[in-house]
Amino acid sequence: MPTAFRQVFVLCLCACLLQSLAGQFNHLITSFAITLDFAGLLIAFAALRLPFRPALIVALFTGLWVDAYDPVSFGRHAFLYGLAVCLIHQLRDRLPREETFVCVVTALFTNLALCVLAGFLDLGALPDAGDGALRLLADLVASQLATALIGPWFIALQLRSLQLARAEPVSALRRYA
């Protein structure tokens, strides 16, 4: 089995695991009227460490997984995640992408951009845009805090899963050595 296929498969499984755990946790905290979204964390590792094509495939499949149970038009998350991977991939050569901290910060910025963009797309459909904007802001703050807290764990999970599948991405340092 090719390494790129194993990378895509493992990272999609990890993303499905995180999204499933987030769904269960969101169900648990429904009484607080807050929803956590880990969009940036789902795609940051793939965009920073994988070649473009496997990273884009991970983003598209993950987006379709999120689209399957979100009450939005099908393909919206896949499009947004794919766009985010394209942008991150263009900037990644300027970043020390092997560092966990850089991956978490990238996930935070990506999560911020995707939540704001999705918020603008959804704001027109809400009955009261003012209350909806406050709710989206509360969701964004909670999502950013949760992403910063679980980001290192999830990145380590992805890296270890790739190591177990013998599909570890080629390090930028090893590539030029």
Side-chain angles (χ1 to χ4, degrees):
M1 184 180 317
T3 303
F5 179 77
R6 286 193 310 251
Q7 290 172 340
V8 168
F9 184 72
V10 167
L11 292 182
C12 285
L13 282 179
C14 289
C16 292
L17 173 70
L18 179 65
Q19 196 62 28
S20 298
L21 290 174
Q24 293 298 316
F25 189 72
N26 283 334
H27 180 69
L28 184 68
I29 62 171
T30 53
S31 60
F32 298 111
I34 292 177
T35 304
L36 299 179
D37 186 16
F38 298 109
L41 199 54
L42 293 172
I43 60 172
F45 183 86
L48 287 173
R49 301 265 182 105
L50 296 185
F52 179 70
R53 191 170 287 164
L56 186 62
I57 292 170
V58 168
L60 293 176
F61 280 139
T62 302
L64 291 175
W65 176 267
V66 174
D67 281 333
Y69 66 87
D70 247 6
V72 295
S73 58
F74 193 72
R76 184 176 93 169
H77 286 100
F79 174 74
L80 292 176
Y81 291 3
L83 182 65
V85 164
C86 291
L87 292 174
I88 294 169
H89 206 271
Q90 289 297 316
L91 299 173
R92 78 182 193 159
D93 288 333
R94 298 178 181 102
L95 301 171
R97 59 183 181 218
E98 304 292 326
E99 301 292 328
T100 301
F101 178 75
V102 171
C103 196
V104 171
V105 170
T106 302
L108 286 169
F109 279 116
T110 305
N111 201 36
L112 174 69
L114 289 173
C115 286
V116 168
L117 188 58
F120 279 128
L121 293 174
D122 293 339
L123 213 50
L126 298 174
D128 185 11
D131 287 341
L134 288 176
R135 166 70 192 273
L136 291 173
L137 181 64
D139 289 349
L140 176 62
V141 169
S143 295
Q144 293 293 82
L145 289 173
T147 298
L149 286 175
I150 70 163
W153 165 79
F154 187 64
I155 292 163
L157 173 75
Q158 289 177 315
L159 190 57
R160 184 64 182 146
S161 298
L162 286 171
Q163 288 171 348
L164 289 174
R166 294 189 191 106
E168 192 174 3
V170 175
S171 170
L173 299 175
R174 281 188 276 158
R175 187 177 332 132
Y176 298 115

